[in-house]
Amino acid sequence: MVYRKWMILPFVLFIVAGFIVTSMFVGGNSESVEKADNVNISEIVHVNFRDTRDLNPHLYGGEFFAQNLVFEGLVMITSEGIKPCLAKSWNISENGLVYTFYLREDVTFSDGYRWNAKVAEDNFRALHKNKDRHGWLESIRLTESFTAVEDYIFEIRLKKPYYPLLTDLGVTRPYRFISPNCFIDGNTKEGVNGYIGTGKYVITEHKIDQYTVFEINRNYWGELPEIKMITTKVIPDNQSRLMALENSEIDMIYGSALIDADSFLRLSKDDRYKTKLSPPLSTRMFLLNTVNPVLSELAVRQAINHLINREEISEEIFNGLEEPANTLFAKTIPYCNIDLEPYEYSVEIAKKKLDNAGWIINEKTGIREKDGMVLKARLHYNTDNVVNKTLVEYFQNELAKCGIKINLFSEEKQVHVDRMKNGDFDIITFATLGEPYDPHSYMTNMRIPGVYGDYHAQSGLADKAKLDESILSALTITDEEKRQKLYTYILSYLHKEAVYVPLTYQRNRAVFKKDIKNVTFNPCMEEIPFGKMNRK
């Protein structure tokens, strides 16, 4: 609960004015709790490492969990597969080029604006006016047209078949719908003048870098959640988050980046709390830039992979909470159940590869050299993830055993993401996108510069053009057997070229007060299914 302390009279007008400014970006129905029937009077105080920021669902500046609370798409992605959301059903033509969606007729945005096919068309038009920004989605480039056929029938036509279209439409962004009242001159790419969606919650209060309050959307078309209010506090520091939980200032820490393995295990033994782990969702890794003169050599990249003891990382750093990752994707990911020989942990194999490639130890420095080049690289890591410092220091020490010098550079998350997009790194910490994005969306990123770091990291590969062509073919081919062969080639080639150094298969974590029930995980690890929770 957010407790407000009224200030003395001279400041009252200042507070009222601030509330008016804030209300431009909230749902505007703080009375919703009193008007909602059959809702338990309950709330959850949650924590995040940074502010919820710009929640425009057509852009990427906001926090996933917050956008998911406020905005909805045509379909939703569940652990049981694709389910209806704002579309109650759909048809796909035999050639895979036409998707016809039959929309719900009982939906309004939280500002009262009626949902229909024209709204869907307007939102898609706004998205496509900024299509270059959405290049990580092949569906954007493959869309030929989108049309409101009737009031509640919406049609998408594709240039080529694209098997993951429904998945793209169901992810948190950018295919979510915002009230046309929030558009600025018919667009959303330059910003919006409010965060009004059709979701289960609306924003009723936001204080930058301090907290955001979400309350039930009284206009919600579906079953109302039992949690009436969610307050997200901003606490950047790991230890401060733990103290806030133990002092009952917050009710929950949710997310693998927000709590380290040691603290998670300690709190799992504390009777005041419950803990929960998701299935493996994505792959933690280091990404090696093949454009770098040193890392352009296959022998160096393969040697680095041989120097990583994944079992030790799993046990010593993650206390067994995350399994060792020997491949870029787990075999449970669609199309990724193929046989690839793991890089055996062996300092001797790594030394032999480097010796044979002409990298010789300088007896004075202990670092390998070749043709006037020193075997060294920069490693950039995101400090907002609690485990990264431990991982990069381990990596630095292991590579030093073989005469490879690694210089570490820490930075906050947004700087880290911008660095990846620009390709300004030698080695960088990263993770695959996880379900439901893997493998198709993650592989789309490999083809497009400026999305993540993959395109730049792979740019030094001899068969980069063939790799990109194979990815596009895998996404658009209709024959399942041929698609699997393409994925097998792509994954085998990347594994042999050792561009990626997989570490563990990442699992989401939650620590929460024991009276909070039905804490679960969505397929997307950045979402938090508050709508399923209750307190009894």
Side-chain angles (χ1 to χ4, degrees):
M1 173 71 71
V2 177
Y3 296 96
R4 303 177 181 84
K5 295 182 178 179
W6 290 103
M7 301 177 69
I8 58 176
L9 186 59
F11 295 98
V12 169
L13 291 177
F14 174 79
I15 292 172
V16 172
F19 179 78
I20 291 171
V21 172
T22 301
S23 67
M24 291 174 61
F25 288 89
V26 302
N29 66 340
S30 59
E31 76 275 22
S32 63
V33 175
E34 289 71 29
K35 292 189 177 182
D37 295 328
N38 302 317
V39 177
N40 288 349
I41 305 302
S42 57
E43 65 180 88
I44 289 176
V45 180
H46 164 250
V47 67
N48 197 40
F49 70 94
R50 65 182 176 187
D51 188 68
T52 50
R53 303 178 301 147
D54 177 10
L55 296 182
N56 180 350
H58 296 170
L59 294 178
Y60 304 93
E63 297 299 278
F64 274 84
F65 78 88
Q67 288 174 315
N68 189 54
L69 291 173
V70 176
F71 303 104
E72 295 179 310
L74 292 170
V75 298
M76 67 176 73
I77 299 170
T78 73
S79 55
E80 291 80 38
I82 305 291
K83 300 289 185 181
C85 191
L86 295 181
K88 58 187 178 182
S89 63
W90 55 88
N91 292 327
I92 305 172
S93 64
E94 287 188 12
N95 62 8
L97 296 177
V98 182
Y99 287 67
T100 305
F101 295 90
Y102 302 92
L103 308 184
R104 295 188 186 276
E105 300 178 17
D106 56 346
V107 177
T108 59
F109 289 86
S110 60
D111 63 356
Y113 201 104
R114 173 68 72 175
W115 156 255
N116 56 31
K118 177 63 165 55
V119 172
E121 183 180 299
D122 289 344
N123 271 258
F124 266 66
R125 184 175 297 107
L127 277 173
H128 279 261
K129 286 181 179 178
N130 195 24
K131 64 188 303 180
D132 290 344
R133 180 67 182 84
H134 309 304
W136 67 280
L137 287 165
E138 199 64 50
S139 52
I140 288 284
R141 282 185 294 279
L142 291 177
T143 297
E144 182 175 87
S145 65
F146 41 86
T147 310
V149 178
E150 295 183 14
D151 284 351
Y152 293 96
I153 300 178
F154 180 64
E155 180 184 273
I156 300 174
R157 289 182 174 267
L158 301 178
K159 301 171 185 174
K160 293 182 179 180
Y162 176 68
Y163 82 89
L165 179 63
L166 291 176
T167 300
D168 283 6
L169 295 177
V171 298
T172 313
R173 55 199 188 193
Y175 288 113
R176 296 284 175 106
F177 297 98
I178 186 169
S179 169
N181 286 332
C182 299
F183 287 23
I184 297 177
D185 297 327
N187 290 300
T188 57
K189 68 178 183 177
E190 302 298 338
V192 293
N193 61 22
Y195 302 137
I196 307 298
T198 63
K200 295 178 181 179
Y201 291 90
V202 298
I203 303 169
T204 55
E205 190 172 355
H206 176 213
K207 192 164 185 178
I208 295 174
D209 292 330
Q210 293 190 38
Y211 60 80
T212 305
V213 179
F214 304 85
E215 295 185 34
I216 283 177
N217 174 10
R218 65 184 172 89
N219 295 323
Y220 191 59
W221 55 269
E223 183 179 353
L224 289 172
E226 294 189 45
I227 298 299
K228 73 177 181 68
M229 180 183 291
I230 301 159
T231 299
T232 299
K233 289 189 175 183
V234 179
I235 306 179
D237 177 66
N238 179 46
Q239 291 305 314
S240 298
R241 286 192 292 267
L242 292 169
M243 288 178 60
L245 179 67
E246 296 185 83
N247 292 336
S248 292
E249 296 171 26
I250 59 174
D251 300 317
M252 172 184 289
I253 301 177
Y254 191 109
S256 62
L258 294 176
I259 183 167
D260 61 276
D262 286 341
S263 300
F264 180 88
L265 288 175
R266 175 176 63 82
L267 291 172
S268 70
K269 300 171 184 176
D270 191 320
D271 291 340
R272 295 174 295 172
Y273 310 107
K274 289 185 178 180
T275 57
K276 201 157 189 179
L277 276 173
S278 75
L281 296 176
S282 64
T283 309
R284 293 184 190 271
M285 63 184 173
F286 294 115
L287 182 57
L288 310 181
N289 195 337
T290 60
V291 176
N292 174 278
V294 169
L295 298 173
S296 65
E297 286 203 30
L298 177 60
V300 173
R301 300 195 303 271
Q302 290 182 336
I304 290 173
N305 267 278
H306 280 294
L307 288 169
I308 301 303
N309 189 335
R310 293 162 176 85
E311 286 72 20
E312 184 175 65
I313 292 173
S314 172
E315 291 300 323
E316 299 299 323
I317 297 179
F318 293 102
N319 290 305
L321 297 180
E322 296 187 5
E323 297 175 5
N326 290 308
T327 52
L328 177 59
F329 299 111
K331 289 190 174 185
T332 54
I333 299 295
Y335 304 104
C336 299
N337 186 13
I338 61 177
D339 290 325
L340 297 171
E341 184 178 355
Y343 283 92
E344 175 191 355
Y345 171 64
S346 173
V347 176
E348 292 308 311
I349 292 176
K351 286 180 177 179
K352 186 174 180 180
K353 282 186 174 291
L354 293 173
D355 289 341
N356 292 341
W359 290 96
I360 308 302
I361 290 281
N362 182 317
E363 297 299 333
K364 291 183 180 180
T365 64
I367 303 173
R368 291 178 181 267
E369 297 179 0
K370 175 184 176 180
D371 299 332
M373 286 193 299
V374 178
L375 188 45
K376 64 180 181 178
R378 301 169 299 152
L379 196 168
H380 293 269
Y381 67 98
N382 163 24
T383 53
D384 291 321
N385 188 312
V386 295
V387 77
N388 276 344
K389 188 173 188 295
T390 303
L391 281 174
V392 299
E393 289 176 350
Y394 169 87
F395 185 79
Q396 182 185 54
N397 291 333
E398 290 302 297
L399 269 59
K401 294 177 183 178
C402 204
I404 303 175
K405 173 71 172 176
I406 299 296
N407 296 312
L408 303 179
F409 297 88
S410 63
E411 55 203 10
E412 61 92 19
K413 184 175 181 179
Q414 193 57 53
V415 174
H416 192 72
V417 170
D418 292 341
R419 181 180 301 284
M420 280 193 295
K421 291 179 179 180
N422 295 327
D424 182 22
F425 62 90
D426 299 335
I427 306 174
I428 200 161
T429 56
F430 195 44
T432 64
L433 301 177
E435 292 191 64
Y437 303 92
D438 294 340
H440 74 280
S441 287
Y442 190 77
M443 287 192 176
T444 298
N445 296 339
M446 295 177 182
R447 300 179 55 247
I448 310 298
V451 180
Y452 289 117
D454 302 84
Y455 178 89
H456 300 287
Q458 297 172 5
S459 292
L461 297 178
D463 288 339
K464 174 61 174 166
K466 181 181 178 182
L467 178 67
D468 290 350
E469 290 170 6
S470 298
I471 292 170
L472 181 58
S473 295
L475 297 174
T476 57
I477 201 166
T478 56
D479 186 297
E480 278 286 333
E481 186 176 342
K482 291 179 179 179
R483 183 185 299 148
Q484 181 61 69
K485 287 182 179 179
L486 286 163
Y487 272 119
T488 299
Y489 160 73
I490 295 162
L491 293 171
S492 299
Y493 178 70
L494 290 174
H495 186 74
K496 177 183 72 71
E497 290 293 331
V499 178
Y500 300 89
V501 185
L503 304 173
T504 61
Y505 296 123
Q506 190 169 210
R507 302 175 72 180
N508 225 344
R509 307 172 194 154
V511 180
F512 48 96
K513 290 183 178 178
K514 62 191 307 180
D515 68 317
I516 301 177
K517 311 298 182 184
N518 203 30
V519 175
T520 58
F521 300 97
N522 277 3
C524 174
M525 66 186 305
E526 301 291 344
E527 297 177 355
I528 306 176
F530 286 110
K532 298 178 182 178
M533 299 179 194
N534 59 69
R535 302 186 79 165
K536 294 181 179 177

